[in-house]
Amino acid sequence: MQNRSWAEPWRIKMVEPIKMTSFSDREKALEKAGFNTFLIEAEDVYIDLLTDSGTTAMSDRQWAGMMVGDEAYAGSRNYYNLERAVFEHYGFTHLIPTHQGRGAEHILSQIMIKDGDYVPGNMYFTTTKFHQQHAGGTFVDVIVDEAHQPSSEFPFKGNVDIEKMQALIDKVGADKIPYLSLETNVNMAGGQPCSMENIRTVCELCHAHGIKVFLDATRAVENAWFIKQREAGFETKTVKEILLEICSHTDGCTMSGKKDCLVNIGGFLAVNDDELAEEARNMLVVYEGLHTYGGMAGRDMEAMAIGIGESVQEEHMASRVGQVEYLGKKLIDAGIPIVRPIGSHGIFLNAQEFLSHLPRELFPAQALAAEIYLDSGVRTMERGAVSAGRDADGNNIYPKLELVRLTIPRRVYTQAHMDVVTESIISVWEKRSEITGLEMVYEPKRLRFFQSRFKVSQPSAVDEDGCKCCSSTVS
Ligand code: F0G
């Protein structure tokens, strides 16, 4: 069976029609949205690759689970089902349910971080870093250098650089480091996994210094899949066993259930330590809800409990990652610069190389995402300087990676949709020299990428080489 195609381990029982738009519809929608794909109305989108978060198609079993939601204020049976599922698959004893991942990040940051602390992480995720800083911490990136190199084929670009971690301990002292935030399948690096060896080694180092390790387990199942594919000694283990092994090295996790867990809303914090769990529950009742529902309805907890079980099935992961690979390989064959190796939850276009004529100040990734939407109605997302925000002095941060993310929702689109996406990217690639970049005209105070607005940058009539510039198709 080795050389047979993967195919989805499900068939389609219900369909959701989507609107087809014309070029002029999209021009209007883009203008109205201030050239920010987050601000486009979903109705005006053809293929929505903005995110894999909460965009999953649930199974018939999950929908059936919704019908047995027990909406008791306290002690809902669905809470206990979820608690069992989390213990069975992630191995953590205390479940603190939250409305989504950032609810868990908020609680963890508030109970663990003191003013002046340092919180190392393997790259950052926007909301995670925000909550760490909001609690008085300083984020320190300890990911391996390869993670910042889009063309490096290193198979575990999510790894923590042990020397960077040791250097931070030596510099600030272990008592200033409450925990390491260890993200599995690092989103901002392109969906790149950590190896089991690295997870084990970094956890040993931290624990030897009394530093806890909390996983961002949002895409830990996808990470487990890559360990099975790429790390010696794991070929014959199941995804379920590998996931449990990842978690067993750590002290707990934050989870956005909207990804791996195959649901549209929900999340949790899970820990082993009794005292920490008690503190977390004290916070939970203030910010989310009672400890047996936190931020979720009973029916949502049931859907998540079932989704967790489905998420570790080998054939689910084979088709999930297989579909992303299918798109990635087509783009590579067409010569499009993407982050290598192909990650699990999406394809990341290297916007700096794609639009190499644009300076970072003109937000190449934002401009590319706008142009792709205009071309075909495919919605993607900027993951570069706009997402990175500003530093303490108010200057724009220009991260090494300036990417556009084509995120693939789970169990939603077909191979034919992936073909349409490929054709659109190729068409934008062919007219890339006409794209002039964007200038920011409105910037909100926090997590600016969600709501900032832009206008098309007008090229000077004559460029550096003395030739006349083309005007953008985006204007
Ligand atoms: N951690 C990671 C790695 C994430 O990707 C996300 C969300 C969160 C935490 C926060 O979880 O959204 O449930 O509050 N990522 C989404 C995305 C938004 O599009 O990548 P949340």
Side-chain angles (χ1 to χ4, degrees):
M1 290 295 281
Q2 272 304 316
N3 48 16
R4 298 285 175 94
S5 299
W6 57 271
E8 290 81 2
W10 37 260
R11 56 189 171 193
I12 296 164
K13 185 160 8 194
M14 189 189 281
V15 297
E16 179 185 356
I18 41 184
K19 187 168 112 184
M20 311 294 282
T21 52
S22 68
F23 186 85
S24 81
D25 291 339
R26 296 193 291 273
E27 237 176 357
K28 280 188 214 119
L30 193 59
E31 189 89 44
K32 194 169 153 217
F35 298 89
N36 183 347
T37 53
F38 276 102
L39 300 178
I40 298 171
E41 288 182 31
E43 286 272 296
D44 295 327
V45 172
Y46 173 31
I47 300 173
D48 204 346
L49 307 186
L50 186 74
T51 178
D52 63 332
S53 182
T55 51
T56 298
M58 293 206 295
S59 68
D60 52 357
R61 286 151 186 82
Q62 285 177 289
W63 279 107
M66 299 282 281
M67 294 307 292
V68 292
D70 167 6
E71 306 306 339
Y73 188 86
S76 155
R77 68 171 161 261
N78 313 116
Y79 169 77
Y80 298 103
N81 290 345
L82 182 57
E83 186 180 49
R84 271 191 292 277
V86 170
F87 181 69
E88 181 185 345
H89 295 285
Y90 293 87
F92 299 119
T93 46
H94 294 286
L95 169 70
I96 289 104
T98 58
H99 72 284
Q100 57 184 72
R102 67 201 72 182
E105 291 165 356
H106 172 226
I107 291 175
L108 182 70
S109 303
Q110 290 295 326
I111 61 179
M112 291 294 299
I113 301 170
K114 296 187 304 301
D115 242 345
D117 278 348
Y118 293 84
V119 190
N122 48 346
M123 211 168 257
Y124 75 101
F125 186 71
T126 50
T127 58
T128 323
K129 180 167 134 188
F130 174 83
H131 280 297
Q132 291 163 355
Q133 293 179 332
H134 193 59
T138 301
F139 164 80
V140 183
D141 188 1
V142 291
I143 203 164
V144 292
D145 288 342
E146 287 88 341
H148 297 285
Q149 298 155 6
S151 56
S152 158
E153 291 281 358
F154 186 59
F156 292 107
K157 283 173 149 183
N159 280 356
V160 170
D161 185 322
I162 306 290
E163 281 173 25
K164 285 185 194 168
M165 185 65 207
Q166 182 67 61
L168 180 70
I169 297 171
D170 295 343
K171 188 170 159 212
V172 304
D175 57 335
K176 286 265 176 226
I177 308 175
Y179 64 95
L180 163 73
S181 179
L182 182 62
E183 187 182 332
T184 39
N185 244 45
V186 180
N187 188 353
M188 300 295 273
Q192 302 292 328
C194 311
S195 71
M196 189 71 84
E197 202 211 329
N198 185 259
I199 294 171
R200 189 174 28 78
T201 315
V202 74
C203 289
E204 277 168 12
L205 172 69
C206 288
H207 289 151
H209 287 85
I211 298 168
K212 290 195 184 308
V213 180
F214 288 104
L215 273 183
D216 180 335
T218 296
R219 297 181 185 82
V221 187
E222 292 176 0
N223 198 124
W225 173 259
F226 280 137
I227 287 177
K228 185 179 165 97
Q229 308 302 312
R230 298 179 186 172
E231 192 165 349
F234 290 90
E235 305 83 350
T236 57
K237 292 205 171 166
T238 63
V239 168
K240 182 176 171 177
E241 287 166 340
I242 299 171
L243 177 64
L244 267 175
E245 191 173 331
I246 293 174
C247 296
S248 71
H249 294 298
T250 70
D251 299 285
C253 76
T254 54
M255 169 67 88
S256 168
K258 302 166 74 174
K259 286 83 164 173
D260 271 356
C261 303
L262 299 170
V263 288
N264 304 121
I265 193 70
F268 57 83
L269 170 65
V271 296
N272 285 328
D273 185 287
D274 297 345
E275 272 175 40
L276 208 58
E278 196 185 326
E279 271 187 70
R281 289 191 177 112
N282 287 337
M283 289 280 293
L284 190 76
V285 293
V286 177
Y287 287 101
E288 299 274 325
L290 193 78
H291 63 282
T292 54
Y293 72 84
M296 279 187 278
R299 55 179 167 269
D300 294 330
M301 292 191 281
E302 190 63 28
M304 192 190 284
I306 297 168
I308 288 174
E310 293 177 358
S311 74
V312 298
Q313 289 167 6
E314 310 280 315
E315 56 279 11
H316 162 66
M317 285 310 304
S319 77
R320 159 74 177 146
V321 179
Q323 185 177 43
V324 177
E325 256 173 19
Y326 174 83
L327 174 61
K329 282 187 181 145
K330 284 191 100 139
L331 293 174
I332 290 172
D333 288 348
I336 310 290
I338 68 168
V339 172
R340 315 283 281 265
I342 297 167
S344 66
H345 68 305
I347 299 301
F348 290 67
L349 305 176
N350 180 356
Q352 247 172 301
E353 200 182 326
F354 200 115
L355 300 179
S356 56
H357 60 289
L358 291 188
R360 298 292 296 274
E361 294 74 30
L362 294 180
F363 304 116
Q366 191 79 35
L368 182 54
E371 191 73 31
I372 294 167
Y373 172 75
L374 189 66
D375 179 78
S376 58
V378 171
R379 171 155 70 169
T380 61
M381 179 200 289
E382 188 265 7
R383 290 275 87 147
V386 181
S387 294
R390 292 181 183 273
D391 64 18
D393 302 324
N395 299 315
N396 276 324
I397 299 171
Y398 292 109
K400 293 200 183 99
L401 299 180
E402 176 78 14
L403 308 175
V404 169
R405 188 179 74 170
L406 284 69
T407 346
I408 314 300
R410 294 167 184 79
R411 311 193 288 203
V412 171
Y413 292 114
T414 66
Q415 210 152 303
H417 288 112
M418 297 302 115
D419 291 343
V420 169
V421 172
T422 308
E423 285 159 19
S424 175
I425 305 293
I426 293 173
S427 133
V428 174
W429 174 247
E430 282 164 359
K431 59 189 175 203
R432 63 192 180 281
S433 65
E434 296 166 26
I435 300 171
T436 57
L438 295 171
E439 290 167 33
M440 202 182 282
V441 292
Y442 165 70
E443 179 175 352
K445 270 202 210 119
R446 300 197 176 94
L447 299 176
R448 66 180 184 178
F449 56 94
F450 284 131
Q451 295 176 84
S452 48
R453 301 181 71 85
F454 301 82
K455 69 170 189 183
V456 173
S457 170
Q458 295 306 327
S460 52
V462 176
D463 73 10
E464 282 163 15
D465 303 327
C467 67
K468 208 146 165 44
C469 288
C470 310
S471 63
S472 168
T473 48
V474 195
S475 55

